[in-house]
Amino acid sequence: MESVKDESEFLHDLVKGLAAQFGSNCEVVLHDLHRPYDSTIVAIENGHVTGRQVGDPGTNLGLEILRGTQINGNKYNYVTQTKDGRMLRSSSIFMKNSKGEAIGSLCINYDITELLVAEKTLHSLTMAGQADVVKESFVSNVSDLLDALIQEAQEQVGKPVAVMQKEDKMRMIQLLDSKGALLVKKGGEKICQYLNISKYSLYSYLEEIKTSEEMSREQP
């Protein structure tokens, strides 16, 4: 399969079938990664689980695949959380073409919030084989996704922008680049605005980061 469109009818039926099988708490999403990242969702059932619809963007996990930060990217049975605090058990499976490039993904997000409330009696169902918690941002527009990535990067740097030195800003840019933030339309512009730097400074910092990474790889 070279494109999600090649199997569009089957994949749309699969989305509907999985959602029907597991009920209204199960969101099933089909992403076409050949589309602009701000509108990758081409099919979705039970979108009320994360508040998304057809035409909305993918999550940060998809950006990491496109950026090359994650090679395989498939994640099964992981726990994540929506903006309003609902807990989901999720799986994300990426489709690739003959060149090994990611062309789409099928994602399942099951709302287990009510099951967790009854954890004592449903423990074997909700918690068996629990995987590591994965931070995934479910958004209805790509601007919110960028905000989430920027917030996460700042938390990792551990300083407010007002007291950041050049090294801190470079670290934050490196984190954002590794997460694929610069692949998003106007991602660079938003990062510059947030860090109060020019586009020239942004690309200069990126070049320094690239040079530093290359030197690190060359060292024995």
Side-chain angles (χ1 to χ4, degrees):
M1 181 168 63
E2 298 303 307
S3 168
V4 168
K5 292 181 180 179
D6 293 346
E7 297 291 343
S8 179
E9 183 176 355
F10 168 74
L11 291 171
H12 278 69
D13 286 345
L14 180 61
V15 168
K16 289 181 179 294
L18 289 171
Q21 176 71 26
F22 295 106
S24 61
N25 283 340
C26 182
E27 178 190 76
V28 186
V29 189
L30 177 63
H31 292 277
D32 184 346
L33 299 180
H34 279 167
R35 293 178 55 80
Y37 205 74
D38 58 2
S39 59
T40 61
I41 296 179
V42 292
I44 185 169
E45 293 290 322
N46 298 324
H48 61 271
V49 171
T50 62
R52 295 179 296 170
Q53 59 187 352
V54 170
D56 281 347
T59 71
N60 52 302
L61 298 185
L63 276 178
E64 291 179 27
I65 293 295
L66 293 175
R67 175 62 178 79
T69 307
Q70 295 286 336
I71 303 301
N72 181 12
N74 290 345
K75 294 182 183 296
Y76 308 103
N77 204 30
Y78 59 91
V79 175
T80 189
Q81 182 174 313
T82 65
K83 286 192 297 183
D84 61 357
R86 301 193 70 80
M87 298 302 295
L88 309 180
R89 186 171 292 284
S90 303
S91 292
S92 298
I93 303 170
F94 286 84
M95 293 165 271
K96 297 182 179 181
N97 61 16
S98 58
K99 297 179 181 178
E101 301 166 335
I103 58 173
S105 64
L106 182 71
C107 304
I108 302 172
N109 303 301
Y110 195 95
D111 187 343
I112 59 170
T113 307
E114 294 177 3
L115 294 176
L116 289 171
V117 173
E119 181 178 0
K120 288 183 179 179
T121 55
L122 297 171
H123 182 81
S124 62
L125 173 62
T126 61
M127 304 302 289
Q130 181 177 357
D132 293 336
V133 174
V134 176
K135 189 165 185 179
E136 184 169 15
S137 301
F138 300 98
V139 297
S140 56
N141 65 76
V142 78
S143 180
D144 287 348
L145 178 58
L146 281 170
D147 287 340
L149 291 171
I150 288 171
Q151 183 62 39
E152 182 183 356
Q154 183 171 355
E155 288 173 359
Q156 289 184 257
V157 172
K159 292 182 181 180
V161 175
V163 298
M164 282 187 185
Q165 302 297 318
K166 175 184 175 182
E167 293 75 16
D168 301 316
K169 292 184 178 182
M170 286 181 63
R171 171 61 177 156
M172 189 164 170
I173 290 168
Q174 184 179 33
L175 289 168
L176 287 166
D177 183 37
S178 71
K179 295 291 185 180
L182 290 169
L183 297 176
V184 176
K185 186 178 180 181
K186 294 188 177 180
E189 182 178 321
K190 189 157 191 171
I191 293 168
C192 288
Q193 184 178 15
Y194 190 84
L195 294 177
N196 193 27
I197 60 175
S198 66
K199 273 195 172 182
Y200 174 82
S201 295
L202 173 65
Y203 292 116
S204 177
Y205 291 169
L206 284 169
E207 190 61 33
E208 286 189 52
I209 292 166
K210 180 180 178 181
T211 301
S212 176
E213 290 176 343
E214 289 176 349
M215 290 178 63
S216 296
R217 286 194 293 268
E218 290 174 358
Q219 291 178 354

